[in-house]
Amino acid sequence: MQLTGAEIIVECLKEQGVDTVFGYPGGAILNVYDALYEYKDQITHVLTSHEQGASHAADGYARATGKVGVCLATSGPGATNLVTGIATAYMDSVPMVAITCNVGTPLLGKDSFQEVDITGIVMPITKHSFIVKDITTLADTVRRAFYIAKSGRPGPVLVDVTKDVTGAKYEYTACAPAEIIPKTDTIKDEDIATAVQMIKEAKRPFIFTGGGTIISEASREVTELAHRIDAPVCDSLMGKGGFSGEDPLYTGMLGMHGTKTSNLGVSGCDLLIVLGARFSDRVTGNTKTFAKNAKILQIDVDAAEINKNIVVDASVVGDEKEVLKRILAEVPEMRHPEWTAHISELKEKYPLRYDHSQLTGPYIIEKLYELTKGDAIITTEVGQNQMWAAQYFKYKEPRTFLSSGGLGTMGYGLGAAIGAKMGRPDKTVVNIAGDGCFRMNMNEIATAVRCGRPLIEIVLNNHVLGMVRQWQTLFYDHRYSHTILNDAVDFVKLAEAMGAKAIRITKMEEVEPALKEALACPGPIVLDCMIDQDLSVFPMVPAGASIDDIFDEEDMKK
C-alpha cells in the first residue's frame, strides 16, 4: 500500500513492537507527528519538557524492559539536545533508536534554518548513524537501525530523515523484525576448556559481574556458577541486580566506592572471573596492581574489551549466557571453606557504616529498601546520591537499578524514571537525586505529572555539589570553588508549581511517614530531604591508588 514516509516510519515502529516513544515536535518532524496522531491508539507518545529528557526516558525504558527505547526530535537544536542522552546510552550499551528529521534534501549543506549534520555529530557516540534522503530506503533503514541497536553489544543508533522524504509516498510492505540471535560463533571449545580448567584449579575464586550479565539475561547462570564453585561475587555499578544483593555470597560493589570486602577479596583471590564488565578506571584503580595475586578470566561479547584496560590470562568472547551454560556443563561442585570463611570474616569486620545520629542519604535509602522490601526500580542521578543508592539498597533482580555509569550524566535519573515507569507501570519507581543534579532537568517533573502515573523523586538536598565538595575537602585543602548552592530555590514550591505533591524532610523521624505517604501517592511526589553539606561517601579509594588502599572515616581518624 502507498504510504507517506512519516507513515512508513510509524508502521516500522509498530513492526518492531514499539508501544511507547518519547519526544518533542518541531518544524522538520511535523509530518511524523501528524502520522503519530493517527496512530495514537497504538503507540503512546510522551511529550517531555526537553529533548534531553526524551533521550533519558528512552534510555530508562530500554534498561527497565530490555526492549529498544525510542526518542524523537526535530532538526537543529532539537537533534543536538539528544546528544548527551545518546552518549549516555552508548557508554552503558543501551539499545536505543533516535529518530530525527532534517531540512529538505535541496536545503542540505546550505546552512538552512535549523539545519545541522546530526549524523556526523553523533558518529563517535552511536553504533551507527544514518541519513535517509531517498524514500525507497526508508523502511529498510529503520529496520536495520533496530537490529543494530539490539544485536551483539547493544547501543544507540540514530536515523535522520529529510523532511521531503517524510512527506513523499512509496509502497510499504510489512515485514517481521529480524531475529536477534545471541553471538555464539566466536565461542571456541578450547577457550571454554581453558576457562573450566582455571576454575577447577582455583583455591580462592572470585566473580566480578558487570552490565553484560543483565544485557545477556545471564543472572540465573551467574548465580548457579557462584554456588556451584563456592565463589563470592562482587559487581560493578552497571551490574547491580545481576546477582542478588541479598545472596550470602554477595560482597558488594567493587572499586572506588566499593566495599572493603570486595576490594580486599579481589586483591587476595587467585582467580578473578570477570563477566560482562569492561574494567572501568573507577573499578580497577591502579591497573598495575589490580587483582595482583590472581589469574584473570574475562568473558565478554565484545572482543574489543579483551586486554583493553587490563591484560588477562584467558578469555572467552561471546554471549555471556551461552558461555556460562557451556562452562556449567563442565564444572563440578566445588567447595572452598577457608576462602569463604575469610570473606565472611571481612564482611563482618568491614560493614558499610554511616552516621546514625543525623538525617543522611544512607538512612533514607535503607528505610526505602525496608519499606519496599527491595521490590522497586531505582534510578539515580550522579554523585553521592548515586553511590549511596548503589551501596545501601539491595538489588535482587536485573533491570531494577538504572544509572548513568560510564558518562556520569547529571540530570539522567528523572527522565530515566519516567521511561521506566512507562515501560513497567506495575513497579514502584523511585529516582534518587542530589539537589545539584535535580536542578539539571527538574522540568521533567511536569512531564511526570502529565503522564499521570505515580513516581517518587527523592532529593538529597545538601545545598552543595556533594561529590565535588567531598574531593575538595579531601584533596583540595577545603577550597570550595563554586560548589556551594547557597541560593533560595525551594524545591517543594517548584514541585507544587508543576502539579506534583511535595514534602520537606528535616529530621530522621519524618522519613518513614513521608516514604509511606509517597509509596501510597497516586501521582508524582517530591521528597526534599535536608542533609548536612559535609556528609561524605565512604569507603573510598583515591584516584590512581590500588583498590586495596581503600579507606573509610574510621581509617581517617586513626
Side-chain angles (χ1 to χ4, degrees), residues 77-335:
T80 58
N81 281 344
L82 295 177
V83 169
T84 298
I86 292 171
T88 300
Y90 183 73
M91 288 289 281
D92 291 345
S93 303
V94 177
M96 186 168 84
V97 170
I99 298 174
T100 57
C101 288
N102 217 319
V103 299
T105 304
L107 297 175
L108 288 173
K110 297 182 178 179
D111 293 332
S112 304
F113 177 68
Q114 291 194 332
E115 179 199 358
V116 72
D117 177 15
I118 191 62
T119 54
I121 289 170
V122 302
M123 194 176 294
I125 54 168
T126 53
K127 285 186 75 177
H128 203 91
S129 60
F130 299 92
I131 181 166
V132 181
K133 296 182 283 187
D134 180 353
I135 194 170
T136 65
T137 65
L138 178 59
D140 286 343
T141 301
V142 174
R143 292 164 182 152
R144 189 178 170 203
F146 275 84
Y147 181 81
I148 293 171
K150 186 71 172 153
S151 60
R153 180 179 184 169
V157 178
L158 181 131
V159 180
D160 192 34
V161 186
T162 59
K163 187 171 183 179
D164 52 313
V165 168
T166 66
K169 285 197 170 185
Y170 189 66
E171 188 67 22
Y172 165 77
T173 304
C175 181
E179 183 182 0
I180 304 295
I181 301 172
K183 187 175 181 180
T184 59
D185 59 310
T186 53
I187 303 174
K188 298 177 181 177
D189 290 342
E190 55 267 35
D191 292 340
I192 296 292
T194 299
V196 170
Q197 189 61 32
M198 291 174 75
I199 293 170
K200 286 181 177 179
E201 293 175 355
K203 305 297 184 198
R204 303 187 306 280
F206 213 117
I207 295 173
F208 170 44
T209 181
T213 294
I214 294 165
I215 293 167
S216 68
E217 299 180 347
S219 180
R220 182 179 299 177
E221 287 75 16
V222 173
T223 303
E224 185 177 346
L225 178 66
H227 286 273
R228 176 87 61 86
I229 68 172
D230 200 25
V233 181
C234 63
D235 55 21
S236 68
L237 190 71
M238 300 308 303
K240 290 277 164 200
F243 186 83
S244 173
E246 295 181 338
D247 193 294
L249 288 174
Y250 181 65
T251 64
M253 192 165 63
L254 178 67
M256 180 174 283
H257 291 294
T259 63
K260 281 194 171 184
T261 301
S262 292
N263 283 19
L264 297 175
V266 166
S267 298
C269 72
D270 66 356
L271 175 65
L272 181 62
I273 304 169
V274 183
L275 306 175
R278 61 186 179 85
F279 291 113
S280 160
D281 59 292
R282 291 298 170 108
V283 161
T284 64
N286 185 341
T287 55
K288 294 178 181 178
T289 58
F290 178 74
K292 53 183 177 289
N293 297 304
K295 291 182 178 179
I296 300 178
L297 168 64
Q298 185 177 6
I299 296 168
D300 204 285
V301 73
D302 188 354
E305 289 298 336
I306 308 299
N307 295 323
K308 185 177 83 175
N309 295 327
I310 294 288
V311 176
V312 300
D313 297 275
S315 62
V316 186
V317 176
D319 179 74
E320 182 184 320
K321 187 181 185 78
E322 181 60 30
V323 171
L324 291 180
K325 283 181 179 178
R326 298 188 192 187
I327 289 174
L328 284 165
E330 303 292 333
V331 169
E333 289 274 348
M334 303 173 70
R335 288 292 170 265

Side-chain angles (χ1 to χ4, degrees), residues 360-399:
T360 65
Y363 176 78
I364 294 164
I365 292 164
E366 279 196 334
K367 187 59 68 173
L368 176 67
Y369 170 74
E370 176 189 318
L371 293 175
T372 60
K373 298 180 173 61
D375 185 21
I377 293 176
I378 306 298
T379 68
T380 80
E381 302 295 346
V382 169
Q384 291 181 322
N385 64 88
Q386 179 186 37
M387 294 298 104
W388 285 328
Q391 290 174 331
Y392 290 97
F393 197 97
K394 296 177 183 177
Y395 301 92
K396 302 183 291 184
E397 300 173 357
R399 305 194 181 282

Side-chain angles (χ1 to χ4, degrees), residues 19-20 22 57-67 214 217 240-241 374-379 395-402 416-430 453-455:
D19 54 23
T20 307
F22 307 87
D59 176 304
Y61 176 95
R63 295 195 206 212
T65 64
K67 300 195 291 185
I214 294 165
E217 299 180 347
K240 290 277 164 200
D375 185 21
I377 293 176
I378 306 298
T379 68
Y395 301 92
K396 302 183 291 184
E397 300 173 357
R399 305 194 181 282
T400 55
F401 178 75
L402 318 182
I418 292 169
K421 189 64 182 179
M422 294 302 296
R424 298 180 69 181
D426 57 312
K427 297 288 285 187
T428 297
V429 177
V430 184
R453 300 190 181 188
L455 186 150

Side-chain angles (χ1 to χ4, degrees), residues 17-64:
V18 174
D19 54 23
T20 307
V21 298
F22 307 87
Y24 203 95
I29 202 170
L30 269 180
N31 288 333
V32 175
Y33 271 81
D34 192 52
L36 280 171
Y37 184 85
E38 298 299 326
Y39 290 80
K40 58 180 177 290
D41 294 333
Q42 300 169 68
I43 295 178
T44 299
H45 178 277
V46 176
L47 175 65
T48 55
S49 299
H50 190 283
E51 290 90 352
Q52 185 179 341
S55 61
H56 292 327
D59 176 304
Y61 176 95
R63 295 195 206 212

